[in-house]
Structures are given as C-alpha cells and as structure tokens.
Amino acid sequence: MRSLVILLVVLAVAFACPSQTGFKIHQKRSIQHQGREDKPLNWLEKGLVYQIYPRSFQDSDGDGVGDLKGIISRLDHFVQLGINVIWISPIFKSPMADFGYDVSDFTDIDPIFGTIQDFTDLTAAAKSKGLKLILDMVPNHSSDEHEWFIKSVNRIDPYTDYYVWLDGDAPGVPPTNWLSVFGGPAWTFNEQRGQWYLHQFVAKQPDLNYRNPLVHEEFKNILRFWLDRGTDGFRVDAVPHLYEDPAFPDELPSGNPNADPDQYDYLIHDQITWNRPETYDVMAEFRQVLQEYEDGDGQHRAMMTEAYVPLENVIQFYGNESFRMADFPFNFALINGISNCLYYCNTTTSRGYPYNGTQLRDTIVEFLDAIPSWVGPQGANWVLGNHDQRRLASRYGEALVDGMIMVQMLLPGTPVTYYGEEISMKDQFISYEDTLDPQGCQMGPDRYEKFSRDPARTPMQWDDTFNAGFSTAAETWLPMGENYPTVNVKLQKENLVSHLNIYRTMVALRQEASVLYGAYDFPIVDADAFTLTRIRTNSTSYIVVLNVGLEGRRFNLSGVTGIPEKAKVVVRSVQATSGETQIGFTINTNDFPVGAQEGLVLSFVAL
Ligand code: GLC
Ligand code: MG
C-alpha cells in the first residue's frame, strides 16, 4: 500500500539540507566492517531473491493472466541471470479482491494459476535448475469466501472465534474508529451473525483472530502442507497486523495534514492495531515448523517477513542468538527512507529521487549497524521495489537505475529484485477506468493515482512482439507497459550495453569472495557522491562509484584504504559515454570521470 502519507518529521529528515562541502573521506567508520568467513553462508545469504507477481509474469493459456505453466516456461530466465531463489506472490485459491492476498483456500492453487499438479511440476522444474522456491503466506486474514469465515458467520465450532467479531456501540455504529489500510472503516457489519468483523484491509479480507490458538495451528499445518510439497520457505505477509489491543480502544488522530479522515494515516496505530509485541511469538512458531523440516533433511528453509515498522521493531524479527527467527525482515529503507518513516510512506519519496549521497550512505549504514553481530552483515537484505511500491525506475529516475543495482548487488546481504527491475521497467499510467487495485478503487477517481499499485504490476516485457510475449490474449488483465517495444528482455539480451547485462554482471560479481565475505566501507560520500568498497586482502576487490548529482565530475580515490593506483572498469551505467572509462579499460584511480547519475564499478586487487 505503501502509499499513505509520510509524516512531517520524515520530510524534515529526507529533505534536510545536505552539507555541500565537497569530498569528504568518511572517517567515522574506519573500514571495517568485516564479513564472516567463519560461518558458511546458506543459499539465501549467498543468493538473490527474485519476486514474481504471478498474474504478470507469463500467461500460458491465453486468458491474459499469468500462470504456473507460464512461470515454468520462463525458468531459464533465472538461470541465465544467475538468480537462485524465486518468491511467488500468492497463488492460492482466491476471489482476487486483493489479487491473491485474499485467500479462500490456503492449500489449493487458484484455477487462474493452474492446479496442484502444475505446482508439483513447477517445484520439480525449479529443483532441476537449482532454483529455490518461496511461497507467500498470508496469515493475517483470509477471504470472506473461505470456509472458515462462512462457518464463523454461522457460529459453527470450532470456527466461531476464528475471526475478530464484536458488537457495535449502537445500531449502525462500529465498535471502534479503526480504519482499513486501504481506506474507510476497518469494520463491516455481518447481518447474518449480527456482529461486526474486523478487516485491516478490504471487507473481503476478514482478519483472523490470533488470540485463538487454533488459528496458529491451522497456519502451521498450512506451512507443513507446502513444505511437504517441496517449498523451500515463505515470505510472510502483513505481519504487523496480526494482533490488536484486546481492550479495543479507539485510535488517536495522527494530525497528519496529508491524510483525509477516511485514510489510514489519519490515525496512529502503533501498538493498537499494528506492531504489537505478540506478533513475534507467531513468527517464532512459524520458524519452529521450518526447523522441523530442516532437522529432518539438513536443508535450510527460509522465512522473510514483511513489516513496514520502525527499524528497532524490524530488527526484532531476527530473533536472538539462541533462536534465529526470520532469515530476514525485508529492509525497505531504500524505498521508504531511513527509519523515521513509520509505515507505508512511499507517497512522497516515490515521486522523485529521495536521497543525496550522504542520505543514501546513512540509510544503508543505519540498517547495517542495526543488525545484531550474531547475525552479521550477510543477514542484511536490500529491497528496491515490490508489488506495493512504485517501480525503481519511476522512483529514482531511469538514469539512476543501473547505479542503484550496482550498489544493491555489492552490499553485504541478499538483494531482492522485483520482476522487471532487471530491464528497468517503469510504472505504466493506468486510467481510473482500468484501475483494479482495491487500494486505488477505494480512493475514487480523484485520489486513486496516489494510491493504486496497478502501475507497478503490468505484465513482464519479454520481447517486442504482441503483448511483449507475455500473452496471446486480445486484452491482458492490466494494460501492457507502453514502452515494451524498446524495453524488453530480448532486446536487452542482444544489446551488450543494457540494464539486463549490467544486472547479470552484477549478480555474478556478488558471488566473488570479496563481495560475500569482504569488508565494506563508504570512503567518499557527499551530497552528489556515493562510494562503496568491498575489499578482501589479496582478492579481486571492488568499488562502486555513484555520482547521484546532475553534473558530471571527476573522482580521486587516492588515500582510500586498499585501493591501488590503477583499477579496471568492470561495469558502468548504460548512458555512460566517456572514452576514458570504457569497460575493460584500466584507469588511474586518482582521476577519472563519472557522468551525471552514473555508476561505475572498478575492480582491483586490494593492497
Ligand atoms: C501485504 C501485501 C499487499 C497486500 C496486503 C494485504 O502488504 O504486500 O499486497 O495488499 O498485505 O494482504
Ligand atoms: Mg493464464
């Protein structure tokens, strides 16, 4: 959703005047954030996660919607790019009120995506290509068409208390003033049961009642069901919404001038309907289930949690030294800014490049510094986009895409790619008439553009043929991105200088020992410059030099620890034209140019 409005304090931080004092050797952190070679990395720490939004990846049966057979037919894409982990947004049975995040049967595949047999085929195909498969689990709510809800409405035990039911204060008056994340009241009256039910998202997504231990058992069995079918792990959806204050108090107004009274950000949710401590206990239970399987065959199972909460709460999802909970909680800092941004606050930042060089460094360092030492930097992760956010190219601007990918891939920790990012797909304008996302629809024609997530969900652009090779349907479920004739996988594979080839090179570099285990530092950072080194003594080491400014400039790396006088250009942004920094050239590290918004990766054997 993520499109709600940013708090003023965030604005203050994100746009505070940077110091313009030119080059500064970053002294505070004298190198040395050492990676850990003592501990073997598991497949997630070593790998890269690619998010597939299944409706938009590949359609195999011509109905205009992507499906499992379609995904199977495209698995070589991952092999070619060096990607080892795919996460698929929900594929379970669903009336699609929230496009799969409203599940009516957690142990079946929706017919639009295929069958359980297709899923089995997908698992086998993925396995044969060395790919790990992560499913998207939605524990906070089900569809109102789920059998549990229908029975709960009818007070059929044990389902009577599977959901959050309350009497209203008076006829027609909901029990509290709570608002749905998508706007409007979070309560809907059910005539049949004569009570209100809670839905933190749309009315067709009733919240499950986590005060009921049976609900926990249901979900643990659902996890087992998919683990038994070869799933390697889960992304856990909307975690901060699992619990509500049992006293059901009203929430206080936030005072946010940008939020209308029906918008989620109008109220303060912390600890009442959101971000409650009990949440962690459920994640611990889920981890225990994964552990059962890990103990069984020695293969790691992964859990990634989705929680747009303050950093200190994000970090708690790692658990503690004697009990690792999530492999990682998603790190949305490169989307939403540093930790002051409390919730889904991309509205402001999404419309332009949110960072200067110093802010970019601080944002990154804040997360790395927050990671407990027993986890280590390899437990970090870097998300540049997802199905709830503006696309990277639309948020940062196309010119910066390559540079941001270079940074993401060279940082310690797991990069998370949203489909289409590898070719720099952009948000597509979608008219109100064509809008499908409940978050957009709920807000009406005047406000939908700020809230709809459809622009970032258009079909994958494979080639320049009809519907970009995504589907043979006359009409696809969302319109195609208009730029597909020029922005597509096929063209970018053929063209040596392309986003896709930069992406592929960067994925490969991430496998280098210096990047997996080496020290990291940010030696030169100022308003317009960002640099990141990955250094391992006597190994091929790297530096990314990113000019986030709007003018070209020259860099001087002499004095930067570990960097010799000469280095080789390995990658540079597609728009780069300088004759001095062509790929493969050896350059003098004390004087070389980097164009506006360009990134450059240099390799050297560390001193
Ligand atoms: C998560 C999902 C989002 C969905 C919501 C409700 O935030 O990422 O797409 O709408 O949960 O399930
Ligand atoms: Mg289809």
Side-chain angles (χ1 to χ4, degrees):
M1 106 120 229
R2 334 329 95 120
S3 17
L4 290 175
V5 194
I6 195 164
L7 297 173
L8 274 180
V9 58
V10 180
L11 283 172
V13 172
F15 301 102
C17 290
S19 91
Q20 299 283 344
T21 48
F23 284 137
K24 229 187 311 182
I25 299 278
H26 184 37
Q27 299 290 3
K28 261 193 299 182
R29 319 168 53 82
S30 36
I31 257 217
Q32 311 329 330
H33 310 284
Q34 205 54 53
R36 299 180 37 173
E37 282 185 64
D38 52 317
K39 199 171 152 254
L41 302 182
N42 64 40
W43 51 261
L44 191 66
E45 291 168 327
K46 236 192 309 219
L48 182 143
V49 178
Y50 184 102
Q51 180 189 0
I52 296 176
Y53 194 69
R55 298 180 68 85
S56 288
F57 200 62
Q58 178 64 49
D59 177 20
S60 75
D61 58 1
D63 64 355
V65 184
D67 43 52
L68 297 187
K69 282 203 170 86
I71 296 175
I72 295 174
S73 74
R74 292 292 187 183
L75 289 181
D76 283 339
H77 183 60
F78 307 117
V79 178
Q80 286 161 13
L81 294 182
I83 288 158
N84 71 327
V85 185
I86 52 178
W87 146 37
I88 311 182
S89 281
I91 49 178
F92 316 116
K93 219 164 182 196
S94 165
M96 302 287 164
D98 190 16
F99 298 102
Y101 285 95
D102 51 316
V103 180
S104 55
D105 186 344
F106 288 96
T107 56
D108 204 356
I109 302 289
D110 193 272
I112 199 116
F113 297 128
T115 62
I116 282 275
Q117 185 56 50
D118 293 337
F119 180 78
T120 310
D121 295 347
L122 171 61
T123 330
K127 204 173 182 157
S128 76
K129 293 179 191 291
L131 300 167
K132 301 285 183 187
L133 185 63
I134 293 196
L135 288 183
D136 203 324
M137 199 37 68
V138 190
N140 178 67
H141 43 264
S142 73
S143 162
D144 64 341
E145 296 179 35
H146 196 292
E147 184 196 341
W148 300 337
F149 189 73
I150 293 162
K151 290 187 169 155
S152 196
V153 165
N154 290 293
R155 297 180 194 265
I156 298 172
D157 280 333
Y159 304 101
T160 310
D161 297 323
Y162 264 41
Y163 296 84
V164 184
W165 293 102
L166 274 190
D167 294 326
D169 290 343
V173 183
T176 70
N177 69 344
W178 299 351
L179 292 167
S180 149
V181 172
F182 295 159
W187 297 97
T188 291
F189 190 72
N190 180 279
E191 296 286 345
Q192 208 175 333
R193 174 148 164 164
Q195 281 190 306
W196 298 82
Y197 68 89
L198 177 70
H199 51 88
Q200 294 215 32
F201 296 88
V202 288
K204 281 188 71 62
Q205 293 169 296
D207 265 54
L208 285 149
N209 173 17
Y210 274 82
R211 309 270 169 210
N212 183 344
L214 292 178
V215 170
H216 299 218
E217 290 314 308
E218 293 281 8
F219 270 93
K220 282 150 68 176
N221 286 332
I222 291 163
L223 299 184
R224 291 185 185 105
F225 178 92
W226 293 108
L227 289 163
D228 286 339
R229 280 158 187 78
T231 303
D232 298 294
F234 300 93
R235 175 256 189 191
V236 191
D237 179 74
V239 180
H241 301 273
L242 289 184
Y243 280 92
E244 295 77 35
D245 184 329
F248 295 95
D250 275 352
E251 289 179 339
L252 295 172
S254 63
N256 184 336
N258 298 318
D260 298 335
D262 64 338
Q263 287 174 9
Y264 190 63
D265 269 9
Y266 190 74
L267 298 174
I268 301 172
H269 317 286
D270 200 17
Q271 307 297 317
I272 297 182
T273 53
W274 178 77
N275 195 26
R276 287 187 58 89
E278 300 94 324
T279 314
Y280 299 102
D281 304 337
V282 182
M283 293 309 111
E285 288 178 54
F286 288 2
R287 166 55 76 188
Q288 254 143 10
V289 174
L290 299 183
Q291 196 61 45
E292 289 166 17
Y293 284 76
E294 236 179 274
D295 292 346
D297 61 12
Q299 298 297 310
H300 184 64
R301 301 298 194 294
M303 180 166 89
M304 318 183 288
T305 51
E306 184 216 23
Y308 290 83
V309 293
L311 184 58
E312 55 179 317
N313 303 108
V314 168
I315 292 303
Q316 287 176 49
F317 286 104
Y318 283 110
N320 58 51
E321 190 156 10
S322 53
F323 185 77
R324 174 74 169 263
M325 223 147 56
D327 286 75
F328 55 70
F330 284 124
N331 168 12
F332 297 120
L334 293 178
I335 293 177
N336 281 338
I338 53 181
S339 63
N340 308 58
C341 183
L342 282 188
Y343 199 47
Y344 304 130
C345 30
N346 72 322
T347 312
T348 311
T349 53
S350 69
R351 297 301 173 174
Y353 176 61
Y355 304 114
N356 64 36
T358 315
Q359 289 163 344
L360 182 58
R361 189 259 332 269
D362 290 350
T363 302
I364 290 169
V365 166
E366 185 183 36
F367 192 83
L368 287 170
D369 281 0
I371 293 183
S373 57
W374 59 269
V375 171
Q378 71 272 25
N381 71 95
W382 308 96
V383 181
L384 291 178
N386 62 40
H387 64 296
D388 296 324
Q389 306 286 352
R390 305 283 159 200
R391 280 189 174 277
L392 174 64
S394 300
R395 199 157 11 88
Y396 280 79
E398 225 186 319
L400 272 163
V401 164
D402 297 325
M404 286 308 295
I405 297 280
M406 294 172 203
V407 172
Q408 180 196 33
M409 298 289 176
L410 284 193
L411 280 166
T414 308
V416 182
T417 293
Y418 181 53
Y419 83 95
E421 237 160 56
E422 71 274 44
I423 53 170
S424 195
M425 270 173 68
K426 267 189 172 158
D427 282 2
Q428 170 60 41
F429 170 80
I430 309 234
S431 69
Y432 186 64
E433 289 63 46
D434 282 342
T435 293
L436 299 174
D437 178 20
Q439 184 170 256
C441 299
Q442 196 110 335
M443 285 295 153
D446 296 337
R447 295 183 295 178
Y448 87 98
E449 268 195 85
K450 198 161 128 189
F451 290 92
S452 174
R453 298 167 294 182
D454 291 336
R457 297 176 173 180
T458 58
M460 181 65 176
Q461 298 172 187
W462 294 105
D463 57 38
D464 55 5
T465 65
F466 183 65
N467 286 337
F470 161 72
S471 172
T472 56
E475 233 181 287
T476 52
W477 79 283
L478 278 178
M480 298 299 305
E482 275 157 19
N483 65 6
Y484 83 77
T486 51
V487 179
N488 63 63
V489 172
K490 182 167 171 279
L491 260 178
Q492 293 195 16
K493 267 188 194 161
E494 290 163 3
N495 191 347
L496 218 55
V497 181
S498 67
H499 300 300
L500 182 123
N501 279 317
I502 289 173
Y503 180 92
R504 180 166 34 197
T505 308
M506 292 311 303
V507 173
L509 285 193
R510 186 171 136 66
Q511 292 306 309
E512 299 273 318
S514 57
V515 181
L516 288 176
Y517 304 105
Y520 61 89
D521 198 23
F522 310 89
I524 293 173
V525 170
D526 63 33
D528 292 335
F530 173 88
T531 58
L532 161 67
T533 50
R534 296 310 307 279
I535 292 186
R536 187 171 177 263
T537 318
N538 297 324
S539 307
T540 305
S541 298
Y542 298 92
I543 181 167
V544 49
V545 181
L546 177 60
N547 173 4
V548 301
L550 297 172
E551 277 164 41
R553 65 192 272 180
R554 300 190 77 88
F555 281 78
N556 177 359
L557 304 179
S558 56
V560 173
T561 316
I563 297 198
E565 276 169 28
K566 294 203 182 290
K568 202 168 121 192
V569 179
V570 201
V571 187
R572 63 176 189 173
S573 297
V574 290
Q575 72 268 29
T577 51
S578 164
E580 290 177 64
T581 58
Q582 295 184 52
I583 301 206
F585 276 26
T586 297
I587 57 156
N588 293 322
T589 53
N590 66 359
D591 183 28
F592 61 93
V594 183
Q597 309 217 307
E598 283 172 25
L600 194 66
V601 176
L602 305 176
S603 76
F604 51 90
V605 174
L607 292 175

